[in-house]
DNA sequence: GGACTCATGTAAATGGTTACATGATTCA
DNA sequence: TGAATCATGTAACCATTTACATGAGTCC
């Protein structure tokens, strides 16, 4: 019924190199957190399932004194990944709790909404600052890792999104200041 | 643990007037689908649960020969809605399957990605055309329904989002044409 | 009569979050 | 020794989707 996208995300990262579940999560959180997250309670069981399906193999290894279960993608795993990548992505309009609350905003005082919007702006600024660092890192590795060109495209998305959300929140704050005013160009 | 946001979305719409489950869904699909969706399998059971909790009352009514279960929000329901609206919205970074596939885009030929991006542009254009109609409708009712000012803010978000996604997709397509080229300002 | 819309629901499966449990190693 | 990090996992719970079942009224 529902496609297990977590599986494919994990396969994608494992296609770049073997990893423990713990490191996988760290990698995901450190690279695609902008548009994709996974959590503890799912990565471990799904990796186990993938092992049963023959998409990955696992071995225990002591790296630096610590034991970790290293997962390696198999040919079947690579095939499954590429099969998934061949399919058109299905757009799923996400739920946005801030917008839902704004939609019913007339039930609250404008100061409350202004607070939400200020938070949004702060969040966007933090994202933009973070993305700027990532951008210079990625641009620096472009000659060594051509794949980074694709990562830059997803980063570009994040930067544009943060910028537009900031602009939108600022525009809303302006409009809230003067509720009598309608829309303008 | 997880807050039941469906409940509050339903309360929000019921606060504007009584409705059957079927109409509620139609209303939601026709107004906030841009950032919030509900589906069959949830609206009915949750409304039943809300009735048991005393947040809504229900009565059978035959409108135009057809029977429908009309739900009316109670004072307790209004209180629950306003309590929820008083809380800061918690940002949940959504999963974006297109971006995940773009991230691993080097595993596919650029033509595949170009197809996804073209679809994205088509989708954005369709959204923008739809939003333009909604905008004129909402602006026309502003004087009668001041609440529409808030609805326009969420529409504004949708318009800006569609525009930025279209721009981003176009920029990606350009970059895909010449893979040797790096990033530019 | 047949297709379509209105209308209410159930069932099954999966997705996803949060909290908790456990234990080893590293570092101050 | 105590806190932080590395590391793996389970349990409980709720969210979400999809498919299915059912039946009445409307329109052609």
């Amino acid at each position: 019924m529902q496609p297990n996208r977590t599986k494919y995300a994990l396969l994608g990262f494992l296609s770049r190199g073997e990893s423990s579940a713990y490191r996988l999560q760290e990698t995901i959180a450190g690279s695609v957190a902008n548009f994709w997250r996974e959590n503890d309670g799912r990565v471990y069981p799904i990796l186990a399932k993938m092992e049963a399906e023959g998409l990955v193999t696992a071995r225990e290894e002591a790296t630096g004194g610590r034991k970790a279960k290293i997962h390696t993608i198999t040919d079947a795993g690579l095939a499954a990944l590429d099969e998934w990548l061949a399919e058109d992505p299905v757009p799923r309009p996400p739920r946005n709790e801030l917008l839902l609350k704004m939609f019913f905003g007339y039930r609250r005082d404008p100061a409350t909404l202004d607070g939400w919007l200020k938070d949004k702006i702060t969040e966007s600024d933090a994202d933009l600052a973070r993305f700027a660092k990532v951008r210079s890192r990625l641009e620096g590795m472009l000659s060594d890792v051509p794949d980074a060109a694709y990562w830059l495209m997803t980063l570009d998305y994040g930067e544009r999104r943060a910028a537009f959300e900031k602009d939108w929140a600022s525009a809303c704050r302006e409009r809230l200041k003067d509720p009598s005013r309608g829309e303008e160009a």
Side-chain angles (χ1 to χ4, degrees), chain A:
Chain A
M1 291 183 154
Q2 289 178 74
N4 187 339
R5 288 126 89 223
T6 293
K7 181 166 88 173
Y8 295 107
L10 298 181
L11 282 176
F13 281 96
L14 286 173
S15 77
R16 298 197 64 83
E18 57 181 29
S19 172
S20 69
Y22 189 86
R23 288 283 170 208
L24 256 182
Q25 250 186 294
E26 256 186 359
T27 306
I28 290 172
S31 57
V32 295
N34 182 33
F35 57 86
W36 204 270
R37 303 211 179 175
E38 296 295 346
N39 53 21
D40 273 36
R42 256 175 92 61
V43 170
Y44 288 97
I46 287 188
L47 274 174
K49 208 175 144 199
M50 286 161 69
E51 194 187 345
E53 288 170 358
L55 303 176
V56 299
T57 57
R59 68 168 196 282
E60 297 259 332
E61 195 173 274
T63 319
R66 273 178 180 139
K67 278 178 290 183
K69 205 180 200 174
I70 307 292
H71 297 268
T72 309
I73 195 167
T74 64
D75 287 344
L78 285 169
L81 171 62
D82 286 335
E83 208 172 306
W84 177 72
L85 281 175
E87 292 164 21
D88 287 343
V90 282
R92 283 169 201 250
R95 288 179 159 197
N96 187 323
E97 195 174 314
L98 171 60
L99 286 190
L100 186 62
K101 293 198 176 195
M102 292 289 291
F103 190 83
F104 298 118
Y106 53 84
R107 293 191 67 86
R108 294 222 68 81
D109 59 317
T112 304
L113 275 69
D114 194 65
W116 299 340
L117 294 166
K118 269 197 286 192
D119 287 349
K120 189 59 169 175
I121 291 170
T122 306
E123 188 193 314
S124 300
D125 279 333
D127 283 346
L128 286 170
R130 196 159 39 81
F131 293 157
K133 285 182 195 161
V134 177
R135 171 169 287 279
S136 58
R137 184 160 55 83
L138 285 182
E139 284 177 348
M141 66 196 281
L142 253 184
S143 49
D144 294 323
V145 187
D147 304 349
Y150 293 89
W151 306 343
L152 274 164
M153 291 182 202
T154 66
L155 178 67
D156 186 35
Y157 184 97
E159 288 170 337
R160 288 171 190 257
R161 188 188 59 193
F164 114 74
E165 287 196 322
K166 185 182 173 179
D167 289 347
W168 167 78
S170 302
C172 286
R173 290 190 70 198
E174 280 304 311
R175 208 168 299 154
L176 281 174
K177 271 186 200 161
D178 183 4
S180 65
R181 199 180 58 206
E183 290 281 303
E184 76 260 44

